[in-house]
Structures are given as C-alpha cells and as structure tokens.
Amino acid sequence: MNSAVRRIGVLTSGGDAPGMNAAVRAVVRTAASLGIECIGIRRGYHGLISADMYPMTPRDVNGLTARGGTVLYTARSKEFMTPEGVKRAADNCRFMGIQGLVTIGGDGTFKGALALSKHGISVVGIPATIDNDIACTDYTIGYDTACNTAIESIDKLRDTMRSHERCSVVEVMGHKAGHLALYVGIAAGATAVLVPEKKIDFQRDVVERIRSARLRGRTHFMIIVAEGAGPVTDVVERIQLETGLDVRLTVLGHVQRGGSPLVRDRVIASRMGYTAVQLLAEGKTNRVVCVDGGDYLDRDIDEALAMEKGLDEDVYVILDALMAGA
C-alpha cells in the first residue's frame, strides 16, 4: 500500500503498564513492513519538547514483548500543559519530519495527542493503563497482568493470614476506578470489596459480612479496597473497632505495574500497535484504537474522551452474591 506518512514517532506517557513494550515493538515492526521510518521518543511529551528521540529499527525491539515497563520511559510534563509547550512539541515533530505520532497511555495521553493534532500532527492513541478505566474500549493494555500480580500477592498473604486468624485489608490501585478491585475481589474470594463507584453501608457491607463469615466458621477475612475508595487506614480502624479482630494492612502499590506481561496483554498490545500504524498509513488522525468485543476498531479522540465508563453491573451483582456466602 502507498502510505500517507513516511516517518512516524512513538511514545509512552502517564503510568506504565505491562504490555507497553509489546505495543512499541508492534509499532516499529509494522512501520518497517510498510516502509515507514519510526522514531522512538523518550519520556513521553517531555521528550517530545526536549527532542529526546532516536531512530528505532526492528532489531532495536527484539525481545521487547516479554519485558515489563517501557523502554521509552515515561514522565509527566508541566510544560506540555501550556500552549507554548504544545507548540514547541509540534514544532519538534515537524523539524524531525515526524508526520504521524502513536501515543500509548491513558486519558491524559490522549488529551495531549488531541492538543498536538490542532497543530497539524496526525495522531493515533493506544489505551494502556492497569486501571482499565478508558470508556471507549473494553480493554486497556496491562489490566490482566496487573490483576494477576495482585492475586499472586494476595494468595501469599492469605497463607499467613489464615495461620494467625487475621483480617487482611489490601489496597489495590485504580485511582478513581474500581475495575481492578472488582475483578481481584472475585478472584481472591474476598469477604468485602470497596470501590469508589459504589456507596456502601459499612456496618452492613463490611462488618456484618465479617461477623456472618465468623459464625459460619471462618477464621480469616480478606477486604479489598480500591485506592480511590477513601483512606484505607480508616477501613482498618473501623474494622478493628467494630470486631476486635487483628487487622493488618497491605498496600500493593506500584508492584502491580511491573512484571512480564501475560499472553493477553502481549497479544492485545501487538494488535493495537499494528492497527495504529495502519491508521496513520491510511492518512487517518485523531483516532484511538479500541477493543469492542472481539473486534479492533478506532474512534475519534474527542468522542473517546467524552465517554464515561462505569463498573460492569453484572459482575458487581455476581461479586455481591459470592461475598454473601464468603
């Protein structure tokens, strides 16, 4: 095919997610297959402003599929949040001959891409965040691996918790979204799950569930809390006050972002990277690559940013039923 672009750039921005490297690899190799040069941009939009770039060839991305994190690094850029910073980034794109840009990250990354597009730069976004909170797509790169990383840690916690007959409160990541906590709660067989999207009656939904489980013979309890659900230390204190249990807090933190991506993240990242380059080659811009069921499609960035993603109510109903018998 005759490509609408001869040289493209690729960057990762925002929080890192397992599978970002697989997406970068797919972008570079797909570009090479179409005769398109690819420029790697280090440290996200900060690198675009400072012209921290280098040519990437298929050889440069050998073995990246299995690596966690991002070889292009990621960083916040206050300067890019200003009109002057955006203009400088766009000017650098033109100076380097970059006609199209693949941006890998979350909503903030897409807002940055949209700002660049207003300066004439063709942009395509790839959704990558462990929170899985981007509304335009069913799935974001890194989510499955982060869930599994959390479960591995929780399974180990359960061993010691059971030995000491304790209640464990585990905070998982998620910012303002409870998707990660919800799925981890189901997989871990949690006694209760607290997410920012759902208001709870603490006495009914946490304390009474612990008491009911104790009456059924349980001696250990697992409470999963999304980081956006409020201060997790308050949860610990209230459980101790109401039940007298020995309660221990574990904040999993950034360990959930690390590790080698699982198969699902490797494959989806690869397919999204391929699709992003194809869109630029076709002369399209202001697009976000999305997963809809089993299909890979693209949506307008403005449309994507305007969408809101709530919890899957069916999954929450299932979780609620399973916790009632925990």
Side-chain angles (χ1 to χ4, degrees), residues 92 153 163 197 214 300 307:
N92 280 341
S153 298
S163 298
E197 295 90 339
R214 185 71 181 91
D300 182 86
M307 299 172 70

Side-chain angles (χ1 to χ4, degrees), residues 203-220:
Q203 190 69 28
R204 180 195 65 202
D205 297 326
V206 179
V207 176
E208 287 304 322
R209 278 183 174 162
I210 292 173
R211 285 174 176 160
S212 295
R214 185 71 181 91
L215 288 171
R216 290 192 297 271
R218 291 288 296 272
T219 58
H220 57 281

Side-chain angles (χ1 to χ4, degrees), residues 51-67:
D52 187 2
M53 312 174 188
Y54 67 105
M56 296 187 78
T57 68
R59 176 176 292 183
D60 295 321
V61 295
N62 284 343
L64 279 192
T65 306
R67 288 179 59 179

Side-chain angles (χ1 to χ4, degrees), residues 16-36:
D16 63 312
M20 278 184 164
N21 281 329
V24 171
R25 173 182 178 271
V27 168
V28 173
R29 293 205 164 187
T30 303
S33 74
L34 297 173
I36 301 171

Side-chain angles (χ1 to χ4, degrees), residues 104-117:
I104 306 170
D107 282 343
T109 302
F110 300 157
K111 289 176 182 176
L114 182 60
L116 283 171
S117 73

Side-chain angles (χ1 to χ4, degrees), residues 286-298:
N286 288 12
R287 313 305 294 175
V288 176
V289 180
C290 307
V291 177
D292 186 357
D295 298 324
Y296 287 76
L297 46 84
D298 56 283

Side-chain angles (χ1 to χ4, degrees), residues 64-211:
L64 279 192
T65 306
R67 288 179 59 179
T70 165
V71 294
L72 292 177
Y73 308 110
T74 180
R76 310 286 182 183
S77 175
K78 291 183 179 179
E79 185 179 358
F80 188 76
M81 296 178 183
T82 67
E84 296 78 14
V86 174
K87 182 180 183 302
R88 184 175 176 184
D91 287 344
N92 280 341
C93 282
R94 280 187 286 270
F95 179 75
M96 297 299 296
I98 296 173
Q99 299 167 300
L101 189 64
V102 178
T103 63
I104 306 170
D107 282 343
T109 302
F110 300 157
K111 289 176 182 176
L114 182 60
L116 283 171
S117 73
K118 294 178 181 178
H119 286 264
I121 309 299
S122 295
V123 294
V124 175
I126 294 178
T129 167
I130 68 169
D131 298 345
N132 199 32
D133 61 346
I134 297 177
C136 65
T137 182
D138 292 343
Y139 188 82
T140 61
I141 296 169
Y143 178 60
D144 189 49
T145 303
C147 284
N148 278 272
T149 298
I151 285 298
E152 288 176 7
S153 298
I154 289 169
D155 285 346
K156 292 175 181 178
L157 277 173
R158 190 183 296 280
D159 291 340
T160 184
M161 179 179 62
R162 184 182 288 113
S163 298
H164 293 271
E165 299 184 323
R166 288 173 176 155
C167 174
S168 186
V169 175
V170 179
E171 182 186 83
V172 300
M173 297 185 85
H175 191 41
K176 297 180 181 179
H179 306 283
L180 186 64
L182 189 66
Y183 273 73
V184 166
I186 290 177
T191 307
V193 177
L194 281 63
V195 295
E197 295 90 339
K198 291 283 185 180
K199 290 184 179 181
I200 66 164
D201 180 321
F202 197 88
Q203 190 69 28
R204 180 195 65 202
D205 297 326
V206 179
V207 176
E208 287 304 322
R209 278 183 174 162
I210 292 173
R211 285 174 176 160

